[in-house]
């Protein structure tokens, strides 16, 4: 039997926004055990990179995607306009979806064109191109709770195919009720990874991935483990924990059952 296919890349930058983890600097300290995790609502920075009209329309998923993606590229020293991007989310814009459902259930069923285009799954990619002037290719994908792992696979495939950097931007946000009872995501959150095809002076670690069948790696801190399982974009937290601890090693992320995504992290 042939060995599983493996893909590799180098982590150049990280972006993180999550409840009680406002950025990668603070999140790394918490994930490494240097600071306690204090649960608090996610803080989503205003998207000042957008023109005023688009800034007013930017939803929570757009704001978390822009903020975490730009933070990862800034740490990597990469210009956003020239880097291909993979956007991965288990949901689209829940608040716009809720508003559209309310309109369709009312006596006046005229749907706002602005609300409609902001409800699409690739809306953050569109706002990203407006904000950064990006002309590089982008992908927007969804694989339910496996969206982070699916996005990571797609990102490394892009790097392997183009021999050029690519940024993974994984994000999710909550739905209002009554949709929240069917899809209970508690808050907005995002993890972004700027990845390159070869090591650089900024490289944080080498990442190798392949499909496997092991159980997903859990987090030892109960409040962080709750976040990992509650918000699909945060299924990548075990990778960030290993990166923050600079210990490297092997771990598994949830993928499409019965498969998992096996990761090997080698700190630089």
């Amino acid at each position: 039997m042939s060995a599983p296919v493996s893909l590799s890349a180098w982590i150049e930058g990280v972006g993180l926004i999550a409840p009680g983890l406002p950025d990668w600097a603070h999140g790394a300290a918490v994930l490494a055990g240097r600071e306690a995790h204090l649960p608090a609502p996610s803080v989503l920075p205003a998207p000042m990179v957008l023109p005023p009209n688009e800034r007013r329309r930017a939803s929570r998923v757009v704001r978390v995607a822009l903020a975490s993606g730009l933070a990862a590229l800034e740490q990597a020293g990469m210009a956003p306009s020239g880097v291909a991007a993979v956007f991965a989310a288990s949901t689209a814009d829940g608040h716009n979806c809720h508003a559209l459902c309310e309109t369709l259930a009312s006596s006046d069923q005229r749907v706002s064109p602005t609300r409609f285009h902001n409800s699409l799954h690739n809306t953050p990619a569109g706002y990203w191109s407006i904000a950064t002037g990006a002309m590089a290719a982008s992908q927007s994908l969804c694989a339910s709770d496996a969206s982070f792992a699916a996005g990571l696979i797609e990102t490394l495939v892009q790097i392997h195919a183009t021999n050029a950097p690519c940024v993974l931007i994984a994000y999710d946000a909550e739905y209002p009720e009554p949709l929240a009872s069917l899809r209970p995501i508690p808050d907005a959150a995002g993890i972004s990874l700027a990845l390159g095809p070869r090591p650089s002076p900024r490289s944080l670690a080498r990442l190798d991935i392949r499909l496997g069948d092991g159980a997903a790696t859990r987090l030892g801190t109960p409040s962080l483990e709750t976040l990992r399982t509650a918000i699909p974009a945060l299924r990548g937290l075990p990778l960030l924990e290993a990166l923050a601890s600079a210990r490297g090693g092997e771990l598994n992320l949830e993928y499409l059952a019965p498969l998992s995504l096996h990761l090997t992290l080698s700190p630089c």
Side-chain angles (χ1 to χ4, degrees), residues 220-235:
T221 302
S223 60
L224 294 175
E225 176 62 12
T226 297
L227 286 181
R228 184 189 73 84
T229 57
I231 304 177
L234 298 184
R235 296 297 200 277

Side-chain angles (χ1 to χ4, degrees), residues 4 27 61 68 71 76 81 100 128 134 172 194 198 200 211 221 255:
V61 289
S68 64
S81 60
L100 289 173
W128 177 265
D172 278 299
R198 61 191 63 86
S200 78
L211 293 178
T221 302
Y255 190 46

Side-chain angles (χ1 to χ4, degrees), residues 88-111:
S90 75
T91 61
D93 185 336
H95 290 271
N96 265 310
C97 181
H98 173 83
L100 289 173
C101 290
E102 282 189 324
T103 298
L104 294 173
S106 71
S107 57
D108 181 2
Q109 296 183 338
R110 290 175 294 182
V111 170

Side-chain angles (χ1 to χ4, degrees), residues 54-153:
E54 283 73 18
R55 193 183 311 153
R56 287 192 295 271
R57 296 169 182 158
S59 64
R60 287 172 62 77
V61 289
V62 169
R63 289 167 64 186
V64 72
L66 284 177
S68 64
L70 289 172
L73 290 175
E74 181 180 7
Q75 183 182 10
M78 298 178 183
S81 60
V83 179
V86 173
F87 295 83
S90 75
T91 61
D93 185 336
H95 290 271
N96 265 310
C97 181
H98 173 83
L100 289 173
C101 290
E102 282 189 324
T103 298
L104 294 173
S106 71
S107 57
D108 181 2
Q109 296 183 338
R110 290 175 294 182
V111 170
S112 160
T114 298
R115 280 213 177 273
F116 176 75
H117 85 246
N118 278 318
S119 71
L120 303 179
H121 194 72
N122 64 350
T123 294
Y127 278 92
W128 177 265
S129 66
I130 293 170
T132 66
M135 299 294 287
S138 72
Q139 304 281 344
S140 296
L141 59 84
C142 173
S144 189
D145 290 345
S147 292
F148 182 88
L152 188 57
I153 293 170

